[in-house]
Amino acid sequence: MVFVLLCGSLLISSCVKQSRGFALPEGDIEQGKATYKRLVCYECHSIPNIEWKGGNDNLKIHLGGEVTAPKTYGELVTSVINPSHKIASFYNQKTSTEGGLSKMKNYNEIMTVQELIDLVTFLQSEYQVVSPPTSYTPYY
Ligand code: HEC
């Protein structure tokens, strides 16, 4: 009986904890933009209002713009600190090495956590969520 109660309360408390989810403190868009420029992300990425200047691989991957599902900061943080995580699903010889790793640089040793927070806040602000196109005709 005690065991059942103990398990039950453990289960509930773990659920409560989970519902808080992963949350970053609020970041600063302008600081994030400055970090984006300082770390030369524009070498491989284009984003509205920051000119793309191609690097060695001449990669031009667009960031920001219209998306049908919001970019969560979980996704954005993953893209920045673990760029190879998603690569398998869209394996592409131009954007990945022969070993299947992302060509994206790794900033984990040089970026502060605050810079990451601001960067993600800036990136997130560059996406606009739009409804997906649909052939559904509503009745009026
Ligand atoms: C040397 C090239 C290169 C540089 C420099 C680079 N990236 Fe990337 N980035 C990539 C490539 C290639 C991808 C796409 C595939 C992948 O995830 O590796 C990518 C993907 C991303 C994505 C995910 C895009 C999406 O639509 O899912 C984000 C966000 C991103 N980069 C942010 C950054 C930021 C912020 C910086 C600067 C701190 C940066 N990148 C610097 C090559 C680069």
Side-chain angles (χ1 to χ4, degrees), residues 24-122:
L24 290 180
E26 214 171 301
D28 183 298
I29 293 179
E30 287 309 312
Q31 290 294 332
K33 196 186 258 184
T35 299
Y36 181 93
K37 290 182 186 163
R38 193 174 61 76
L39 296 177
V40 202
C41 307
Y42 52 72
E43 198 180 273
C44 299
H45 292 287
S46 67
I47 196 162
N49 302 320
I50 300 179
E51 205 189 334
W52 170 77
K53 295 193 187 102
N56 290 344
D57 288 314
N58 227 27
L59 286 172
K60 188 175 188 179
I61 295 157
H62 194 73
L63 299 177
E66 295 185 345
V67 285
T68 50
K71 288 270 178 195
T72 64
Y73 46 61
E75 287 174 294
L76 292 169
V77 166
T78 306
S79 297
V80 176
I81 67 175
N82 187 10
S84 295
H85 174 67
K86 234 173 54 175
I87 209 112
S89 58
F90 61 102
Y91 181 75
N92 179 327
Q93 282 186 321
K94 197 168 176 238
T95 60
S96 54
T97 63
E98 274 172 28
L101 293 176
S102 174
K103 280 188 188 166
M104 180 153 154
K105 286 183 188 156
N106 187 302
Y107 301 91
N108 298 1
E109 299 283 347
I110 57 162
M111 198 192 295
T112 67
V113 174
Q114 187 60 51
E115 284 174 331
L116 177 66
I117 293 166
D118 294 338
L119 193 54
V120 166
T121 306
F122 161 62

